[in-house]
Amino acid sequence: GAVVSQHPSRVICKSGTSVKIECRSLDFQATTMFWYRQFPKKSLMLMATSNEGSKATYEQGVEKDKFLINHASLTLSTLTVTSAHPEDSSFYICSASTPDSTDTQYFGPGTRLTVL
Amino acid sequence: AQSVTQPDIHITVSEGASLELRCNYSYGATPYLFWYVQSPGQGLQLLLKYFSGDTLVQGIKGFEAEFKRSQSSFNLRKPSVHWSDAAEYFCAVGPGTNAGKSTFGDGTTLTVKP
């Protein structure tokens, strides 16, 4: 149980375009999902908390207009990187908590974004 | 403020040898502690977690970890390493009420020699 998927697993785009990454909880309803960014050989950095039916909560220093998050249903959250630039290239990982176990998060497989 | 230190950036062990990965934390309240494993290009998989009770915690894939409050440590161990254990290992500490507020260490890369 508690499986989280992400799509796509890899994406390459041109500078200036927007990219949407999907995060789905496959076998449970996730009222809260989290979006992380991971640089090579580095730890995970929490970008934002995605709450179903309400606005996302962004961590300090994360541009909310750059990284648009939508959590329209209990099983789907999306992260849109708008007007992407090469410095946005990274590994983006989402996670979700089950309603009865908010102390534990289950991670998706990640999305490798490369901006040319 | 909470923080996690994984002192070893890279560890190499021979297959069949024992393994210990170190984790030290700083947290103002009772910590919720986690160990995750990440294979190349993949997300994180939860190995084990500690909230309370027995300070020796058993996890998946034969891993265990011991919580030592006096040393602010939560070291991960495995008695006999398999080649498939080669991966990146992350220790994390956070509040129990919101897993997303966990702080992660910088990770330890494990290489397994045949």
Side-chain angles (χ1 to χ4, degrees):
Chain A
V3 177
V4 177
S5 70
Q6 278 184 247
H7 178 80
S9 57
R10 291 177 177 271
V11 58
I12 300 172
C13 68
K14 293 183 179 179
S15 186
T17 61
S18 294
V19 174
K20 181 184 285 188
I21 302 170
E22 293 185 348
C23 177
R24 292 182 185 272
S25 56
L26 298 185
D27 51 359
F28 66 98
Q29 293 183 330
T31 53
T32 304
M33 289 182 171
F34 307 97
W35 286 97
Y36 291 87
R37 183 172 179 175
Q38 185 181 33
F39 293 97
K41 302 297 182 184
K42 290 293 184 182
S43 184
L44 279 72
M45 181 191 79
L46 179 66
M47 299 174 64
T49 301
S50 170
N51 301 296
E52 189 269 335
S54 64
K55 291 184 178 180
T57 304
Y58 290 82
E59 296 300 303
Q60 192 172 8
V62 177
E63 300 176 61
K64 39 183 88 171
D65 294 333
K66 174 91 177 155
F67 299 99
L68 299 179
I69 291 172
N70 184 274
H71 194 157
S73 78
L74 287 172
T75 59
L76 174 65
S77 176
T78 60
L79 168 68
T80 301
V81 183
T82 62
S83 186
H85 291 283
E87 58 265 30
D88 299 323
S89 298
S90 194
F91 195 54
Y92 292 88
I93 306 176
C94 73
S95 71
S97 292
T98 62
D100 59 350
S101 187
T102 58
D103 49 26
T104 301
Q105 54 186 324
Y106 300 93
F107 287 85
T111 296
R112 172 72 60 193
L113 170 63
T114 303
V115 184
L116 304 177
Chain B
Q2 59 194 47
S3 66
V4 176
T5 302
Q6 292 181 246
D8 305 303
I9 297 173
H10 195 169
I11 282 185
T12 299
V13 299
S14 298
E15 190 168 16
S18 64
L19 170 70
E20 182 169 33
L21 301 181
R22 296 184 290 165
C23 173
N24 293 100
Y25 68 90
S26 174
Y27 194 70
T30 301
Y32 284 66
L33 295 156
F34 308 84
W35 272 102
Y36 295 91
V37 60
Q38 183 181 35
S39 297
Q42 300 296 313
L44 277 68
Q45 181 182 20
L46 179 66
L47 286 175
L48 48 79
K49 59 186 180 182
Y50 172 78
F51 295 156
S52 63
D54 192 343
T55 56
L56 185 61
V57 183
Q58 302 299 319
I60 62 171
K61 304 186 179 187
F63 286 93
E64 66 178 26
E66 185 171 12
F67 171 61
K68 293 185 177 180
R69 184 185 297 275
S70 61
Q71 299 177 21
S72 297
S73 69
F74 189 57
N75 295 348
L76 182 71
R77 300 194 294 251
K78 185 169 185 178
S80 178
V81 170
H82 188 263
W83 63 266
S84 60
D85 293 323
E88 189 83 14
Y89 290 81
F90 291 94
C91 179
V93 65
T97 54
N98 187 344
K101 290 299 184 180
S102 297
T103 297
F104 289 79
D106 285 341
T108 297
T109 302
L110 174 65
T111 298
V112 180
K113 294 190 300 184

